[in-house]
Amino acid sequence: MTRTTGRGRHIAVAAGSGLALVAVILGSVAVANQASDGGGSTHAAVDAKSPSAKVPRERGKAAEPDAGGPVSEEISHDSESSGKVVNITIDDGPDPVWTPKVLDLLRRNDVKATFCMIGPRAKEYPSLVKKVVAEGHRLCDHSMDHNTSMDKRPESYQASQILDAQKLIEDAAGDGVKVRYYRAPGGAFTPYSRKVAAAHGMRPLGWQVDSRDWQRPGVARIVANVKREVPSGPTILFHDAGGDRSQTMAAMEETLPWLKQQGYGFSFPKI
């Protein structure tokens, strides 16, 4: 059996104390790193050279299936349901006058829709965003400022328009609700904006049927536009903000029952 002298015991104790101190320091560094990872903004800054940057997930928060992760960059025009269906999409809200009326109309006709919202309007009217979600509709990011010339602006501008609006809409919706689509104002998509949206879980969303209700051409013309164009594809464009939407309401009152009479069902755009 090896004996340890008094001097040897002091050396062993000193060595053990040194190792313990190193372990404490390393542990403190690890804790500090972990704490710093959990802070910061809710989405990653998008580098123009790296358009597929992803939102860092909050620590301890489980992944949500089919939401929040990358999706296809291709513009969606189709429906997620097969058969004879249409997708009703409602742009430019929420609006305190018209959004509740649109929601009531959809409820009475048993129709679900996709609401493409402007970020600051969602922040201003969070109760309406929550009501849209509570009634079973889906959310779409329609940018911060509705700039129809976004495709001519720098990539940094496009990224902030998309991601800042996403954050405001999701904050207004609450309860971990995700924005499922991104629709460029006026269809002003770019390859970059599509990549940014898709990398943050939002499928770029187009349309085939423009009711042109935004022009306020008269109820009969809006209805005729839908009836003429609906054979070309399922995604129909209406609006619940941007001015007087009384013509839109009257046209939808006529159009939704007509679509049912023609054998159409109602679905959501394909993600």
Side-chain angles (χ1 to χ4, degrees):
M1 182 173 66
T2 304
R3 295 182 61 191
T4 304
T5 65
R7 183 172 179 272
R9 282 195 296 272
H10 287 300
I11 293 172
V13 171
S17 300
L19 290 173
L21 179 60
V22 170
V24 169
I25 292 171
L26 290 176
S28 300
V29 171
V31 170
N33 287 339
Q34 183 176 3
S36 64
D37 287 346
S41 62
T42 57
H43 64 255
V46 177
D47 188 321
K49 297 179 181 178
S50 180
S52 60
K54 293 179 63 178
V55 180
R57 193 182 309 281
E58 293 179 18
R59 289 186 178 276
K61 187 173 183 179
E64 183 177 345
D66 300 322
V71 297
S72 173
E73 300 169 10
E74 297 301 314
I75 298 174
S76 176
H77 294 97
D78 299 329
S79 173
E80 69 178 18
S81 299
S82 58
K84 190 175 182 180
V85 295
V86 293
N87 313 313
I88 303 298
T89 63
I90 314 289
D91 282 19
D92 294 357
D95 181 271
V97 174
W98 299 107
T99 302
K101 294 181 179 181
V102 170
L103 286 171
D104 179 65
L105 174 61
L106 294 171
R107 190 186 314 113
R108 286 188 279 111
N109 285 273
D110 193 25
V111 172
K112 304 302 180 187
T114 299
F115 284 76
C116 299
M117 297 184 174
I118 305 299
R121 298 189 68 84
K123 180 180 180 180
E124 187 174 2
Y125 304 109
S127 62
L128 288 178
V129 181
K130 290 179 174 66
K131 189 172 179 62
V132 166
V133 173
E135 297 198 11
H137 307 290
R138 288 186 183 175
L139 300 178
C140 171
D141 177 339
H142 202 33
S143 82
M144 289 291 290
D145 300 325
H146 201 276
N147 183 348
T148 56
S149 298
M150 268 183 62
D151 55 333
K152 299 177 177 62
R153 299 297 298 274
E155 290 180 347
S156 58
Y157 174 86
Q158 296 176 46
S160 65
Q161 284 284 308
I162 296 167
L163 299 182
D164 290 351
Q166 180 188 25
K167 182 181 186 305
L168 292 182
I169 298 167
E170 290 183 345
D171 285 352
D175 295 329
V177 175
K178 298 296 182 182
V179 174
R180 311 301 296 274
Y181 311 91
Y182 165 67
R183 172 173 278 168
F189 288 102
T190 65
Y192 177 79
S193 69
R194 290 190 288 108
K195 286 182 179 181
V196 169
H200 290 79
M202 298 179 290
R203 179 75 186 265
L205 177 59
W207 65 86
Q208 291 103 342
V209 182
D210 187 351
S211 70
R212 295 191 175 272
D213 62 331
W214 50 276
Q215 293 180 331
R216 293 194 284 277
V219 175
R221 179 65 62 84
I222 296 171
V223 172
N225 289 340
V226 174
K227 290 182 177 180
R228 182 184 65 253
E229 295 184 15
V230 74
S232 66
T235 304
I236 304 174
L237 174 62
F238 291 109
H239 295 78
D240 65 340
D244 185 349
R245 296 269 71 95
S246 56
Q247 290 185 15
T248 299
M249 292 297 304
M252 289 180 69
E253 288 271 13
E254 183 176 343
T255 300
L256 297 181
W258 178 84
L259 287 166
K260 290 184 177 182
Q261 291 167 6
Q262 302 305 306
Y264 286 97
F266 297 86
S267 185
F268 292 109
K270 187 174 183 179
I271 296 176

